[in-house]
Amino acid sequence: MKGEITVGDLCKIRAIQVKICLVMMVGTVLWMTGGAAARAGEPEGEKGPPPVDCRYETATQASAAEGTGSTVGIPFPDGDVFRPLFADPKQPQTFASLQAVRIRDSKTSATVGSVGFGENFGFYSRRNGCNGWQVGLLAGVFSQFDMNAPSTDLINTDYVVGIPLSWRSGLFSTRVRLYHQSTHLGDEFVLHNPGFNRVEYSYEEGEAILSLDAPGGWGRLYAGGGYLLHREPANLDRLKAQAGVELRGPTWGSGPIERFVSGPLVVTPVLGADFKSFEQLNWTLSANIVGGLEFARAGALRRFRILLNYYHGNNPYGQFYGQKVESVGLGFYLAF
């Protein structure tokens, strides 16, 4: 009947959305590399001092800890004084990955495309070097697609928005945030799974993470937890525990790549593991282990990572939190 939306129309719309996501990812990479080339062509006299990325600049942290310099207020600061948890599946960041997923409960398998868009935008920071505090806004979108379906069905999307407050003193840093998460099943998933027990699932959580960097910046340990202030359904248990470790290997030059781009590039091997446990799930441990290479232009804030990951535990996304899964995947990650 004219004016009605069919299942085929919904599938076409979802396929278009997937293509838009891919175009955005490619466009972002081109923008990053194009901007690097443009800056490399600036006259030598117009170049300012290289930006300081307090998420990774341990030398600046050490000098600030000695009390050198003065405390200044910075509106809309670059980066943060707390390093993002790159192994946390729910860290707001921009990525695209392909996952081979085994659902341990039903002993079935699926190929899942997972994409995310998000960032922590700083509003104001007050620092002495890299010591100080910052407040901002975090936002993230996490979507999963069934790559085995003819129309690449959207399975689930989680939306996250909140306010983070971060602080650093020398090798110690912390992030405290209050955020909201809501989850929405894909239209195609609902149509193809009419018996799925759909519930309204959302919550507001207060969370705190304390981090200790290794001298020299080669690693870090972090731990913390969260408490659900409001939740739907109302019978969800409130407590969460989280911990992790990150390692950064020695950085080397990327000579072969530098033949095609302007400006020096550096490559750093990275390895991280994030562990979570929820009272709602009887404190069963979920682990995500990632490792790969990080590419960056010397002195720049932006980073590009190619990471392999292995996940074992409860599904970290949406209404599937009670589902036991195991997955292996490869992803591309952008850090701004």
Side-chain angles (χ1 to χ4, degrees):
M1 183 181 296
K2 186 176 180 180
E4 291 184 342
I5 299 177
T6 65
V7 174
D9 294 329
L10 290 174
C11 293
K12 290 179 182 178
I13 293 171
R14 193 59 60 196
I16 292 173
Q17 291 177 336
V18 175
K19 293 177 182 178
I20 292 174
C21 290
L22 295 175
V23 169
M24 291 177 65
M25 292 287 290
V26 174
T28 303
V29 174
L30 293 176
W31 171 62
M32 291 171 63
T33 56
R39 285 186 295 271
E42 293 176 353
E44 189 67 24
E46 298 181 9
K47 289 184 178 180
V52 175
D53 192 343
C54 289
R55 298 168 296 181
Y56 302 93
E57 186 62 46
T58 55
T60 304
Q61 296 164 9
S63 64
E66 296 172 359
T68 60
S70 59
T71 300
V72 295
I74 306 172
F76 308 123
D78 292 326
D80 197 357
V81 295
F82 182 87
R83 184 185 305 176
L85 310 179
F86 79 93
D88 184 352
K90 301 306 288 289
Q91 170 67 42
Q93 58 184 325
T94 300
F95 69 91
S97 67
L98 190 64
Q99 304 285 326
V101 180
R102 183 174 70 89
I103 303 173
R104 294 154 55 202
D105 304 297
S106 59
K107 294 181 171 54
T108 58
S109 300
T111 302
V112 175
S114 182
V115 299
F117 298 95
E119 193 53 73
N120 176 19
F121 181 87
F123 281 134
Y124 183 80
S125 181
R126 192 161 181 82
R127 307 178 188 177
N128 177 355
C130 282
N131 288 342
W133 58 269
Q134 176 171 315
V135 64
L137 174 71
L138 68 86
V141 178
F142 305 89
S143 296
Q144 302 81 52
F145 298 87
D146 183 359
M147 306 303 290
N148 300 123
S151 59
T152 319
D153 295 353
L154 173 64
I155 302 172
N156 174 81
T157 297
D158 289 346
Y159 299 91
V160 176
V161 62
I163 300 175
L165 175 65
S166 55
W167 170 87
R168 175 176 291 279
S169 179
L171 299 177
F172 286 94
S173 62
T174 188
R175 182 190 69 192
V176 178
R177 62 179 184 171
L178 175 64
Y179 72 97
H180 166 84
Q181 174 180 302
S182 61
T183 180
H184 304 273
L185 295 174
D187 296 330
E188 301 95 330
F189 179 85
V190 174
L191 289 172
H192 297 162
N193 297 270
F196 185 80
N197 184 23
R198 185 178 184 179
V199 297
E200 294 295 330
Y201 180 68
S202 66
Y203 59 81
E204 285 77 46
E205 181 179 45
E207 178 193 79
I209 299 290
L210 177 64
S211 172
L212 173 62
D213 294 337
W218 57 265
R220 78 188 295 205
L221 295 172
Y222 62 85
Y227 182 84
L228 298 184
L229 304 172
H230 175 266
R231 70 272 197 224
E232 292 184 14
N235 61 352
L236 288 175
D237 291 322
R238 296 180 183 269
L239 297 178
K240 175 189 77 176
Q242 183 176 2
V245 59
E246 295 175 6
L247 301 175
R248 298 178 61 82
T251 296
W252 67 83
S254 55
I257 300 177
E258 292 175 12
R259 299 175 185 176
F260 306 99
V261 297
S262 299
L265 290 177
V266 293
V267 182
T268 305
V270 294
L271 178 67
D274 183 82
F275 306 95
K276 291 182 181 179
S277 184
F278 298 87
E279 181 184 9
Q280 176 68 25
L281 302 172
N282 298 316
W283 300 111
T284 302
L285 188 68
S286 295
N288 189 45
I289 302 172
V290 299
L293 297 176
E294 176 185 277
F295 299 84
R297 188 171 56 86
L301 299 177
R302 298 168 182 164
R303 298 164 189 269
F304 173 70
R305 300 186 182 108
I306 302 176
L307 302 176
L308 290 168
N309 80 281
Y310 170 75
Y311 183 87
H312 187 279
N314 288 87
N315 196 321
Y317 298 114
Q319 301 183 36
F320 302 94
Y321 63 87
Q323 186 183 68
K324 297 180 179 179
V325 299
E326 182 179 36
S327 66
V328 177
L330 172 67
F332 301 93
Y333 298 75
L334 305 179
F336 298 96

